[in-house]
Amino acid sequence: MNMKKIVSILTVAVLLVACMSVSVFAANAPVVTAEEVNAEMGKTVEVKVSISEATFASYGLKLTYDTDALTLVEIKQGERSQGMFSAKAESGKVGLVNTADTTGAGVLFTAVFEAKAPGKHEVKVEVDSFAKADTSILEVEVDNGFVNVVQPVPFVYDIEPGVLPPCVQYNLFTVEKKELCAVVPYVYY
């Protein structure tokens, strides 16, 4: 066999091994997850951002979202962010610096939003960096979250003295149905 064929075969073999190792690596990458939560318009809601089992020392993340629908009010440190924690609600940037690796799964931080507009609003987690103490880069996958905002509907009843027929109330978040009955007292003038 000539030298060109040998080099070609070796090149193909190296590429195949490299492709297999990348797909295996990607399948085992830790996942950063922002949860999906429900909120009423005008109220605050907490969105936990967690990581699956991983070993790391530092990270840099940024939250992006529809600023017309949500306002980031506060970012609270999670139990999985051990070290020097930094967070700025104005920019959505969150960071952690540590001199040693920590291993485990759990909440990195909790973002507190005020819900301003009804609808399903995505909360994206952008990864600037995730690293180990030896400065090697940790590849992570991201599963973005959502804030489902509903506008409360006021109930207005025109009532007269007597017993009202049973009425039905639905909880929009739990789809729980409750039957209610009210008694309206007679008022004498």
Side-chain angles (χ1 to χ4, degrees):
M1 232 196 275
N2 68 22
M3 192 60 147
K4 285 184 181 180
K5 284 186 178 182
I6 292 172
V7 170
S8 295
I9 291 172
L10 286 174
T11 303
V12 169
V14 167
L15 287 174
L16 284 174
V17 169
C19 288
M20 287 189 307
S21 65
V22 167
S23 63
V24 169
F25 175 74
N28 296 328
V31 180
V32 174
T33 304
E35 67 183 346
E36 183 169 346
V37 296
N38 298 315
E40 277 189 27
M41 199 166 82
K43 303 233 171 142
T44 59
V45 64
E46 294 187 350
V47 176
K48 291 182 178 158
V49 177
S50 1
I51 190 163
S52 61
E53 188 71 25
T55 300
F56 64 91
S58 64
Y59 63 77
L61 303 172
K62 182 178 180 185
L63 295 175
T64 59
Y65 51 91
D66 181 354
T67 56
D68 292 330
L70 301 170
T71 299
L72 185 55
V73 178
E74 179 184 7
I75 301 172
K76 302 176 187 176
Q77 184 172 357
E79 80 274 356
R80 192 61 184 89
S81 292
Q82 301 167 4
M84 189 170 28
F85 180 78
S86 172
K88 300 225 181 268
E90 303 82 34
S91 63
K93 292 185 177 182
V94 185
L96 175 76
V97 177
N98 201 345
T99 56
D101 286 333
T102 61
T103 301
V107 177
L108 297 171
F109 60 91
T110 301
V112 180
F113 289 95
E114 179 185 350
K116 299 190 301 186
K120 185 173 186 174
H121 309 290
E122 186 172 25
V123 176
K124 294 180 184 177
V125 180
E126 296 176 358
V127 178
D128 291 330
S129 64
F130 240 100
K132 295 186 177 186
D134 66 3
T135 68
S136 62
I137 301 298
L138 177 65
E139 295 294 327
V140 296
E141 295 178 10
V142 175
D143 186 10
N144 294 319
F146 291 91
V147 176
N148 301 308
V149 181
V150 294
Q151 183 171 4
V153 178
F155 290 99
V156 178
Y157 296 103
D158 185 19
I159 56 175
E160 294 182 20
V163 176
L164 294 176
C167 55
V168 179
Q169 176 184 16
Y170 290 95
N171 183 321
L172 297 175
F173 298 124
T174 63
V175 193
E176 180 181 315
K177 177 181 170 183
K178 292 181 181 178
E179 291 196 19
L180 306 170
C181 184
V183 176
V184 179
Y186 287 93
V187 179
Y188 298 99
Y189 294 95

